[in-house]
Amino acid sequence: MDEDGKLNQQKQIDVVTGWGMIINIFLAVLKIIFGVIINSVALIADGVHSFSDLFTDVVVIIASRASKRPPDATHPYGHGKIETIGSVVIGIVLLVIGGGIGWTAIIAMINQQMNFPGPIVVIIAFLSVVSKEVLFHVTRKIAMQIHSTSLYANAWHHRSDALSSLAVILGGGLSLIGFGYGDHLAGLVVGMMVMA
């Protein structure tokens, strides 16, 4: 591929990942602030998941730029493996974050801390599902067009965030009908989904 093609690919990665970063910051702040205000373990966990998406966005940009560098004396075959390493880093971060989220939810249930956060959980989680699904489809399309493994991994991270928000909607719905552990169960599901 010529230099113009590489620059065009990098521009596509930067644009879609930049939009992902903006949306992730907005969603993470919204979820965590309201999660703290209404004491929703699931919404806070989902907010942390959105912040983890922000971290993976940064990894994607750094890895994709580094992988495009030409071969040099210490890397005679180029820097293409850096993008694969970026994908591995994303996976490790998700394991750690997911474990912490799940553990918090389990401890809350063991301590019999019932929670009824109200309808705002469902509203915010629904907004997250819609926005993250759009990001998933756009990011995956570009990743497939330019054959970027780290961008493809990031697309699926957007999808996992949409699915975790769906779990928050279900947990919020359960709490609305009187099940006091719905929010915690949703937090546990979010933790497991982050790890998957």
Side-chain angles (χ1 to χ4, degrees), residues 51-73:
F51 264 128
S52 75
D53 283 354
L54 178 62
F55 173 75
T56 61
D57 289 338
V58 172
V59 170
V60 166
I61 289 175
I62 292 170
S64 67
R65 286 178 185 259
S67 69
K68 303 292 185 280
R69 292 194 321 234
D72 56 32

Side-chain angles (χ1 to χ4, degrees), residues 24 27 31 42 45-54 56 90-91 93-95 97-98 101 125 128-129 131-137 152-168 186 189-196:
N24 285 330
L27 288 174
K31 291 173 189 177
D46 206 24
V48 170
H49 191 196
S50 293
F51 264 128
S52 75
D53 283 354
L54 178 62
T56 61
I90 290 170
V93 168
L94 293 178
L95 281 173
I97 290 172
I101 291 169
S128 180
V129 168
S131 59
K132 296 303 284 194
E133 268 299 299
V134 170
L135 271 176
F136 164 72
H137 288 287
Y152 192 77
N154 206 32
W156 281 98
H157 197 183
H158 290 314
R159 166 60 63 84
S160 73
D161 204 18
L163 293 174
S164 71
S165 293
L166 186 59
V168 175
V189 170
V190 170
M192 290 188 298
M193 291 176 84
V194 170
M195 293 174 70

Side-chain angles (χ1 to χ4, degrees), residues 64-146:
S64 67
R65 286 178 185 259
S67 69
K68 303 292 185 280
R69 292 194 321 234
D72 56 32
T74 56
H75 301 90
Y77 299 105
H79 297 83
K81 299 274 186 219
I82 292 174
E83 194 169 16
T84 303
I85 293 168
S87 299
V88 171
V89 168
I90 290 170
I92 292 169
V93 168
L94 293 178
L95 281 173
V96 172
I97 290 172
I101 291 169
W103 181 254
T104 301
I106 289 169
I107 294 300
M109 286 188 286
I110 288 171
N111 292 331
Q112 299 180 351
Q113 298 171 347
M114 291 194 184
N115 193 20
F116 302 95
I120 193 74
V121 170
V122 176
I123 294 166
I124 293 172
F126 179 77
L127 173 66
S128 180
V129 168
V130 172
S131 59
K132 296 303 284 194
E133 268 299 299
V134 170
L135 271 176
F136 164 72
H137 288 287
V138 172
T139 305
R140 184 181 65 166
K141 180 179 177 182
I142 293 171
M144 292 171 72
Q145 287 173 349
I146 64 175

